[in-house]
Amino acid sequence: MSELYQIPGLLITALCHVIVICYLSEHKYSKKKFTLYSCMYIAGFVSIGGYGYAILGATLLFAYIVIVVCTFLFSCIVSQSCFAKKCFLFITYFCLFSALDNVLKIMIKLFCPKISAPVGFYVAVILRSVFLLVVLVLYKKFAEAILLSLEDKRDRRWWNLALVALLFYLLQACMSVLNVKNVMSDVQFMSVLSVINLIMYAVYWLVFSNISYMKKDAEAALVRQNVEYLSVRLATQQKAEEEHRRLRHDIRYYLETIAEYAKTGDTSAILAYIREYSNEVSETAVRQYSINRTIDSILSVYAGKAKESGIAFLVKCNVKAELAVRDIDLIALLGNLFENALHGCQKSEKDKLYMEIYIRMQNSRLTIVCENVCSENLELSGSLPKGKSIGISSILAVCQKYDGNLEYKVEHGICSACAVLNL
């Protein structure tokens, strides 16, 4: 039992895994439930790892495999991403973990040969954990929003990426075994490891460059959608202008008709005629929902879609003309939010259909609430609908980009979505 000094190191490693998995994945459970699962995982990790270090030999390799499987299962349980994406993120993380572990151990062995085993062990553990947390921070800042926006039920792209990550992870695992067995000299091992790592980083650079281009394509699609919204809005305004021009042209005839009624003293006929004229003017008028051009265009488009489907469309909007949100982000958020609400109403097959939208700006927080009739079988997983579509993933990506949150509630056949952005 001379290896008991490694138990605290296992605890540090397990905590590092929990922190990374917590921030790497989209949360599926509440903080309390996540903490419970984390404690169970840490206890199992330390127990299995401690037993492996105590026995050594083939048992240590078996313990390592069990730990990897348990960590993967823990990651899958607490995350609500699609399974292929879970695999890609987890394998990528463990690939980086193994690469750092191999590099640090061989560097300590080469450059600090006189260091004691316990000190070398803890230097490697602490440096590895610090590097992994730094990489996590960089991921949260630069890559998370891109990966979130690419969530898709058609997950072939994620399986392809997961297979690439698995290949490099297996190479790193093989290098770890070779290092333990001392098959190669330290210099040879370092040389082979350096080549593998350079190839791995180059491939990952290409992978994330590809993902970045995919993100740009998605943004280009949103720009085209913005043009479509504005075009529909412009066409509506032009049509209304033509109707107003006709009404202005015909006003002479309306006045003559009113004058004839006045000559006969038919007051009720005059009032009825004025009401009819007023209704005609109101129907041809273009309604402005918001002084913000982008929000107004999107609301106008979905007001028209709701009217065509016989859905009551109610809006309360109180925002400034200019917001610290990019137009394409507003389109991604509001367009997907309203589209989902519209489909929810259509699929509900209920008699009374409606959508209620509340948008307001308060203390640098933009809050959007959308309520709609929905089918009775709509279920939630955590705070999001089960089997969430690419649309909800896009909404979530925008919310997280602006340090906000997205929450869905379903009560008595009514779905309520609340998106908050901190501007």
Side-chain angles (χ1 to χ4, degrees):
M1 302 295 287
S2 60
E3 309 297 330
L4 284 177
Y5 71 84
Q6 293 168 324
I7 298 297
L10 290 171
L11 181 59
I12 294 171
T13 302
L15 284 171
C16 181
H17 289 336
V18 168
I19 293 170
V20 171
I21 290 171
C22 175
Y23 289 101
L24 192 66
S25 58
E26 300 168 46
H27 294 178
K28 188 175 182 179
Y29 300 112
S30 63
K31 290 183 179 178
K32 186 180 291 186
K33 205 166 185 179
F34 179 83
T35 303
L36 175 63
Y37 283 130
S38 298
C39 291
M40 292 168 62
Y41 164 72
I42 291 171
F45 184 99
V46 173
S47 300
I48 296 168
Y51 178 76
Y53 276 125
I55 305 299
L56 296 178
T59 305
L60 181 58
L61 178 60
F62 177 75
Y64 173 78
I65 293 171
V66 172
I67 282 175
V68 172
V69 172
C70 289
T71 307
F72 175 68
L73 291 175
F74 170 68
S75 175
C76 289
I77 289 169
V78 300
S79 170
Q80 62 179 3
S81 304
C82 69
F83 184 69
K85 185 181 176 185
K86 290 178 187 178
C87 292
F88 169 68
L89 290 174
F90 174 80
I91 298 171
T92 297
Y93 165 62
F94 247 71
C95 186
L96 181 60
F97 175 88
S98 299
L100 284 171
D101 189 58
N102 286 330
V103 169
L104 289 170
K105 284 180 178 177
I106 195 64
M107 287 183 69
I108 290 171
K109 197 173 179 181
L110 282 172
F111 300 108
C112 304
K114 295 182 180 180
I115 198 171
S116 65
V119 174
F121 174 78
Y122 279 99
V123 168
V125 167
I126 292 170
L127 286 177
R128 184 183 62 209
S129 300
V130 170
F131 278 124
L132 288 171
L133 294 178
V134 168
V135 171
L136 177 64
V137 171
L138 294 174
Y139 165 78
K140 295 290 288 184
K141 187 172 183 179
F142 298 109
E144 183 183 44
I146 295 175
L147 292 182
L148 281 173
S149 67
L150 296 176
E151 179 76 61
D152 197 335
K153 285 185 177 179
R154 297 169 302 184
D155 48 20
R156 178 186 290 181
R157 70 184 71 173
W158 293 116
W159 282 123
N160 292 337
L161 295 175
L163 287 173
V164 173
L166 180 61
L167 172 63
F168 284 111
Y169 172 68
L170 291 175
L171 284 173
Q172 294 291 346
C174 289
M175 293 302 293
S176 298
V177 173
L178 291 175
N179 188 32
V180 172
K181 298 291 185 180
N182 290 318
V183 174
M184 295 183 286
S185 68
D186 293 341
V187 175
Q188 288 175 326
F189 181 83
M190 188 65 180
S191 300
V192 174
L193 187 61
S194 298
V195 171
I196 291 174
N197 285 338
L198 283 173
I199 296 172
M200 182 182 76
Y201 297 140
V203 170
Y204 267 100
W205 177 264
L206 290 174
V207 165
F208 280 96
S209 295
N210 244 352
I211 291 174
S212 181
Y213 282 121
M214 289 159 65
K215 172 67 173 176
K216 288 178 181 177
D217 286 343
E219 289 189 350
L222 290 174
V223 170
R224 290 193 294 271
Q225 191 175 356
N226 188 23
V227 172
E228 182 185 339
Y229 286 149
L230 294 175
S231 298
V232 171
R233 180 64 169 166
L234 181 60
T236 305
Q237 288 176 331
Q238 287 175 341
K239 184 179 178 182
E241 182 60 32
E242 289 173 3
E243 289 294 322
H244 277 291
R245 196 179 297 118
R246 181 185 62 80
L247 289 172
R248 286 196 300 271
H249 178 267
D250 295 343
I251 194 168
R252 177 164 56 93
Y253 303 108
Y254 291 125
L255 292 175
E256 288 176 357
T257 303
I258 291 172
E260 290 298 322
Y261 284 133
K263 286 176 184 178
T264 60
D266 194 348
T267 308
S268 59
I270 293 173
L271 292 174
Y273 191 76
I274 290 173
R275 278 195 297 270
E276 182 183 344
Y277 179 75
S278 177
N279 289 337
E280 189 174 356
V281 171
S282 298
E283 287 175 3
T284 59
V286 177
R287 179 174 177 182
Q288 184 180 33
Y289 292 96
S290 172
I291 58 174
N292 181 281
R293 186 185 65 178
T294 303
I295 293 177
D296 187 57
S297 297
I298 299 171
L299 287 169
S300 297
V301 169
Y302 281 95
K305 289 184 176 183
K307 187 176 180 181
E308 290 174 3
S309 301
I311 300 170
F313 192 78
L314 309 172
V315 177
K316 288 184 181 179
C317 182
N318 182 18
V319 296
K320 297 179 290 186
E322 298 294 331
L323 294 172
V325 185
R326 295 194 308 166
D327 283 351
I328 58 173
D329 291 332
L330 275 176
I331 294 165
L333 194 157
L334 297 179
N336 284 300
L337 194 65
F338 300 159
E339 190 73 23
N340 290 342
L342 192 71
H343 290 163
C345 286
Q346 293 168 341
K347 292 177 181 177
S348 69
E349 298 180 351
K350 295 180 180 177
D351 295 330
K352 293 183 179 180
L353 306 177
Y354 73 90
M355 290 171 57
E356 287 189 17
I357 297 161
Y358 306 90
I359 306 174
R360 69 172 182 172
M361 185 77 189
Q362 188 176 24
N363 298 329
S364 300
R365 295 184 73 187
L366 178 64
T367 304
I368 301 111
V369 177
C370 181
E371 292 185 357
N372 63 277
V373 177
C374 66
S375 60
E376 299 295 337
N377 59 0
L378 179 62
E379 295 182 14
L380 301 182
S381 175
S383 61
L384 298 176
K386 265 189 177 180
K388 67 180 193 301
S389 64
I390 187 172
I392 293 177
S393 298
S394 296
I395 300 168
L396 185 63
V398 174
C399 291
Q400 295 191 347
K401 179 178 178 180
Y402 291 91
D403 297 323
N405 62 282
L406 174 65
E407 184 175 358
Y408 276 77
K409 290 182 180 178
V410 177
E411 292 180 353
H412 310 298
I414 304 297
C415 177
S416 175
C418 178
V420 178
L421 307 183
N422 291 299
L423 308 180

